[in-house]
Amino acid sequence: AETKMNKASSRSHAVFQISITRRPRTLALAAGSVGDEASLKVECTRARLNIVDLAGSERVKKSQVEGVHLKEAVAINKSLLVFGNVVSALAAKRAHVPFRESKLTRILDGSVGGNCRTSLLVCLSPAAENAAETFSTLEFASRAMRVVVDAKVNREVVDVLADDLVDDLCGNLGDIIT
């Protein structure tokens, strides 16, 4: 939806999440197991990749939006405000971090300040009339850089049925061969 500040605005956040589980191939162990109830303890590694594109904050007075677009702008600005509060709380190492105050921060709670690696790319406007927005974006990026994360590899031991492993392996071989 076009606004006075952005002609190609999508006016929405986009979140793309992929959960990945990696486990070693256990062909010899799986082939040696007999019966439906046979299971193996296998160490697996789990990860989640979040790719997030946040809508930019726009001043309603400058963007001159009305009606449905005004409601969208208010909702986007509110979620960005809460996200900024979360980043500020994490950077200041406060005891309470307000993750539950918006859907956006609930979705991103594992990606912002915890067992994660996070990269942040901010987009700025070179236009003089957007200097205030550019400055606030740079302040946010500065706060975000002060968030300390403690990334660890997520390993756990899981029980996997031997028949499931054989089916997985056969399926993978079939995909490779054909």
Side-chain angles (χ1 to χ4, degrees):
E2 182 178 327
T3 69
K4 296 289 182 190
M5 290 182 71
N6 188 347
K7 289 188 182 210
S9 175
S10 67
R11 301 308 308 142
S12 64
H13 302 311
V15 179
F16 179 71
Q17 293 183 328
I18 300 174
S19 293
I20 302 166
T21 301
R22 183 181 74 178
R23 68 172 189 248
R25 296 217 180 224
T26 55
L27 178 61
L29 293 172
S33 299
V34 179
D36 292 341
E37 299 303 316
S39 68
L40 299 170
K41 293 200 181 294
V42 177
E43 182 178 81
C44 67
T45 305
R46 297 184 189 269
R48 185 174 71 193
L49 172 67
N50 291 316
I51 300 172
V52 181
D53 179 16
L54 298 177
S57 177
E58 292 184 356
R59 297 185 194 278
V60 174
K61 186 177 180 182
K62 275 181 145 180
S63 62
Q64 298 179 355
V65 292
E66 297 174 339
V68 174
H69 298 301
L70 175 62
K71 286 183 181 181
E72 288 174 353
V74 168
I76 287 168
N77 289 345
K78 180 184 176 213
S79 67
L80 291 172
L81 175 67
V82 172
F83 185 60
N85 292 341
V86 165
V87 168
S88 293
L90 290 168
K93 298 182 181 179
R94 291 190 203 126
H96 174 70
V97 180
F99 283 115
R100 294 185 178 194
E101 291 184 15
S102 96
K103 290 178 185 177
L104 176 67
T105 53
R106 271 185 252 145
I107 290 170
L108 298 179
D109 73 349
S111 303
V112 180
N115 185 16
C116 63
R117 288 189 181 169
T118 302
S119 297
L120 177 68
L121 175 71
V122 295
C123 297
L124 307 171
S125 172
E129 62 267 12
N130 297 329
E133 288 83 2
T134 297
F135 183 72
S136 68
T137 300
L138 290 172
E139 282 183 323
F140 169 77
S142 177
R143 282 193 313 271
M145 288 176 57
R146 290 193 299 269
V147 174
V148 177
V149 295
D150 186 25
K152 296 181 182 90
V153 176
N154 298 315
R155 289 194 178 106
E156 62 185 82
V157 177
V158 295
D159 283 327
V160 180
L161 292 175
D163 289 344
D164 292 342
L165 290 172
V166 171
D167 289 345
D168 287 350
L169 186 59
C170 290
N172 288 342
L173 287 176
D175 291 343
I176 294 170
I177 292 170
T178 56

